[in-house]
Amino acid sequence: MDLTNLKARELIAGYKNRDFSVEEVVKTYIDKIEEKDKDINAYVTVCAEEALERAKSVDKKFQDREEMGILSGVPLSLKDNIAVKGVKMTCSSKMLENFIPSYDSVISERIKKSDGIILGKANMDEFAMGASTKTSYFGPSKNPLNRDLVPGGSSGGSAAALAAGECALSVGSDTGGSTRQPASFCGLVGIKPTYGSIPRYGMATLANTFDQAGSLGRDVEDAHLLLKALVGRSQLDATSVGNDSILKEIDYSSGEEAVEFLKDLRIVIPKLYMDLELDPTVKDQYEKAIDLFEKNGAKIEVVPMDSLKYVIETYYILTNGEIAPNMARFDGLRYGHRTDKYENYEEMFRKSRAEGFGDEVKRRIMIGTHILSLEFAKDYYYKALKVRNKIKTEMEEALKKDGMILCPTSPILPPKIDQDISPVEMYKADLFTVPANIAGCPSMSIPMPLVDGLSVGMELTAGRFKDHEMIKAALGFERSVK
Ligand code: GLN
């Protein structure tokens, strides 16, 4: 039996049964990373020694029949923008190539408390700006389903590690789709909960009002398990919220009968999405998904939602407006890379930043600075804030009474790694994922069965704090697809 094929919950059951030890499983994972990751490039840092140490102590807890945390002995990876005390955290940028945080993020603290085992830090687009991992300073990760293709991004290393069997669960972050889109490209489930559900303390900020950590698993139950370990308010993040909806039980033992969960669901299809020119495979899968919901008793409603036309512009204006000031802390003095030769401080800042940041980061800092400037703020930033409100209101209206938006997670299939795509073309592909971040809603991607070896994910987005309803519907859908 290849232990790396087991789901997280199957590992936990196996430990309880004494079928294998945590140490055995962690060793197998480390060997697999050793063997495969030179090619997949999913990890920036592997913590083999620490992981084995922890495995031993979790084994001992099992032996002593202590009370176990909900991730007991599950080997997982964390996106490299999430701080783990004493472990390098690069955000896949030269700027932070040698940065070692002196404290744990709330996320890693909760993983440790739940007895999860951190195998390492996963590759990503630089500072989470991108959708392919191609902006990583450490080079792109490969999609394990087809190594010529990107795994998606920005949490592409997380998805690649999980799909390659190099971890059993992974934590990503999602500012505009970065957990859901790579899940969709790699045949996984990716959940972004309601904004604030997972405290952001210790997760490098991209755009504060959009950022939310997300969980990646090989199926709905696994992704939900990880989420349960991470949610809950923390005093360290004033924007964090309690969200009991994620902790509500779902009957995963129900097998095929879970398709019943789809009965009488209100599924919203934005009219705009019907008229879009999508990749033919994606369109075909979308139609299949709608049919499946309908066949199992869901009610399909086509709703105009005209403001969704403006999501890309709104998202990129507002996030760049938040990104530019957030990136100011990386100046070679407080944090990060410092240039070797400089005459004065002014030059030190300028050269350190010029050397430390990649093109995409620089592009966004420049756009953000421009649109926030006195002269342009009213034409761009303030206008986009108003449009954000309009989109939010329209989504709240469409999602009330437990409605859920169904759409593909990405309008395109994973592009080839060596394919040249302009930044604007890449931005446009975020069309389906950014609305949930604009409105703070929970949203998740569930894979359809592979088509010619490729994965197409379907996305469900629910009203705020309706995470439970969304995950339950996703389970019903997952079981109906099989
Ligand atoms: N692709 C989007 C962007 O580049 C999403 C990034 C994210 O969610 N971190 O901004």
Side-chain angles (χ1 to χ4, degrees):
M1 176 174 52
D2 181 353
L3 293 169
T4 63
N5 284 336
L6 296 179
K7 307 253 165 55
R9 59 180 181 282
E10 292 167 338
L11 288 174
I12 297 172
Y15 299 141
K16 285 192 182 142
N17 234 356
R18 304 284 190 270
D19 294 340
F20 37 73
S21 69
V22 182
E23 194 182 345
E24 224 176 298
V25 169
V26 170
K27 265 195 184 133
T28 314
Y29 267 105
I30 289 171
D31 290 346
K32 186 129 183 202
I33 294 172
E34 182 95 332
E35 170 207 322
K36 282 183 108 171
D37 209 53
K38 274 185 215 74
D39 188 35
I40 300 283
N41 195 29
Y43 282 96
V44 176
T45 305
V46 180
C47 319
E49 259 169 53
E50 297 93 318
L52 281 168
E53 274 306 301
R54 277 193 64 79
K56 283 183 199 149
S57 74
V58 176
D59 271 332
K60 179 151 186 333
K61 277 180 92 174
F62 269 115
Q63 271 152 19
D64 295 348
R65 302 194 185 278
E66 281 184 43
E67 201 181 315
M68 303 301 295
I70 72 165
L71 296 176
S72 31
V74 178
L76 40 83
S77 62
L78 257 67
K79 187 174 182 175
D80 206 18
N81 59 352
I82 299 167
V84 180
K85 189 176 170 180
V87 177
K88 216 164 60 169
M89 161 175 161
T90 67
C91 292
S92 286
S93 178
K94 176 176 175 161
M95 184 54 95
L96 292 180
E97 198 179 358
N98 298 309
F99 174 67
I100 298 180
S102 55
Y103 59 87
D104 268 324
S105 55
V106 172
I107 294 172
S108 51
E109 191 190 281
R110 288 187 179 167
I111 286 175
K112 290 175 183 174
K113 230 188 227 144
S114 334
D115 294 317
I117 314 270
I118 297 172
L119 288 177
K121 307 293 297 293
N123 194 21
M124 55 188 276
D125 282 289
E126 186 176 4
F127 284 105
M129 301 179 201
S132 63
T133 67
K134 279 169 70 173
T135 70
S136 166
Y137 176 62
F138 305 106
S141 303
K142 291 183 181 172
N143 188 325
L145 294 175
N146 176 337
R147 295 181 186 196
D148 293 332
L149 308 179
V150 301
S154 60
S155 316
S158 287
L162 187 55
E166 297 179 28
C167 62
L169 290 172
S170 190
V171 187
S173 69
D174 195 310
T175 304
S178 278
T179 295
R180 290 161 284 156
Q181 185 258 24
S184 164
F185 281 6
C186 294
L188 305 164
V189 171
I191 311 180
K192 177 198 96 71
T194 297
Y195 177 79
S197 304
I198 302 173
R200 290 180 292 122
Y201 179 81
M203 182 169 95
T205 306
L206 179 61
N208 316 45
T209 68
F210 294 78
D211 293 347
Q212 180 55 199
S215 89
L216 289 139
R218 295 198 188 126
D219 65 4
V220 174
E221 185 173 357
D222 260 20
H224 187 194
L225 176 76
L226 174 56
L227 205 56
K228 283 193 234 170
L230 304 180
V231 296
R233 260 208 87 216
S234 162
Q235 284 189 336
L236 298 171
D237 173 4
T239 63
S240 65
V241 289
N243 182 356
D244 290 341
S245 138
I246 291 170
L247 300 173
K248 260 202 224 165
E249 286 304 319
I250 293 180
D251 183 7
Y252 284 104
S253 66
S254 52
E256 293 292 297
E257 280 155 37
V259 297
E260 288 282 315
F261 297 159
L262 303 186
K263 198 154 175 269
D264 295 330
L265 275 188
R266 205 165 71 77
I267 291 295
V268 174
I269 310 284
K271 168 97 180 32
L272 177 78
Y273 292 176
M274 304 291 281
D275 308 333
L276 284 176
E277 247 187 66
L278 299 174
D279 173 280
T281 309
V282 175
K283 195 173 175 76
D284 186 48
Q285 294 299 305
Y286 188 22
E287 282 161 7
K288 279 204 175 109
I290 298 175
D291 279 353
L292 269 173
F293 271 96
E294 203 163 26
K295 206 179 83 200
N296 288 297
K299 305 215 159 43
I300 310 287
E301 266 177 50
V302 180
V303 178
M305 300 185 78
D306 291 331
S307 64
L308 291 181
K309 283 205 275 285
Y310 306 114
V311 292
I312 297 293
E313 293 83 346
T314 308
Y315 169 83
Y316 277 95
I317 291 172
L318 293 177
T319 52
N320 286 339
E322 295 185 26
I323 285 169
N326 279 331
M327 290 295 135
R329 72 192 63 160
F330 303 107
D331 56 8
L333 186 63
R334 279 169 292 185
Y335 285 99
H337 168 81
R338 186 183 299 176
T339 188
D340 290 339
K341 288 201 194 87
Y342 49 90
E343 302 274 310
N344 49 42
Y345 282 118
E346 160 75 35
E347 193 187 15
M348 182 195 85
F349 290 141
R350 201 162 20 86
K351 278 181 74 185
S352 301
R353 287 165 67 80
E355 292 166 13
F357 288 138
D359 288 349
E360 184 60 26
V361 177
K362 287 178 188 160
R363 181 163 25 247
R364 294 192 194 202
I365 293 174
M366 284 193 286
I367 297 173
T369 308
H370 177 75
I371 58 170
L372 288 178
S373 61
L374 205 52
E375 210 179 324
F376 295 103
K378 70 175 185 328
D379 291 339
Y380 294 105
Y381 193 73
Y382 292 117
K383 231 182 227 172
L385 280 177
K386 286 186 195 152
V387 183
R388 180 180 199 173
N389 258 337
K390 202 169 155 38
I391 296 169
K392 249 172 138 169
T393 315
E394 230 174 70
M395 286 190 55
E396 270 161 24
E397 182 62 28
L399 298 175
K400 68 182 185 202
K401 292 193 232 110
D402 289 353
M404 278 172 227
I405 297 175
L406 171 69
C407 61
T409 307
S410 168
I412 55 171
L413 293 170
K416 285 217 160 109
I417 292 177
D418 56 16
Q419 191 177 330
D420 248 339
I421 304 183
S422 74
V424 175
E425 281 308 304
M426 271 323 266
Y427 299 164
K428 283 189 186 160
D430 294 334
L431 175 72
F432 295 131
T433 46
V434 294
N437 303 77
I438 289 178
C441 294
S443 182
M444 66 188 286
S445 180
I446 313 108
M448 296 292 281
L450 299 187
V451 186
D452 300 327
L454 290 183
S455 159
V456 177
M458 284 300 138
E459 183 182 74
L460 276 176
T461 302
R464 293 179 66 229
F465 299 104
K466 296 289 178 184
D467 307 62
H468 170 77
E469 288 74 5
M470 174 185 76
I471 298 169
K472 202 167 153 189
L475 178 70
F477 179 60
E478 181 180 71
R479 304 258 162 108
S480 76
V481 168
K482 280 187 178 145

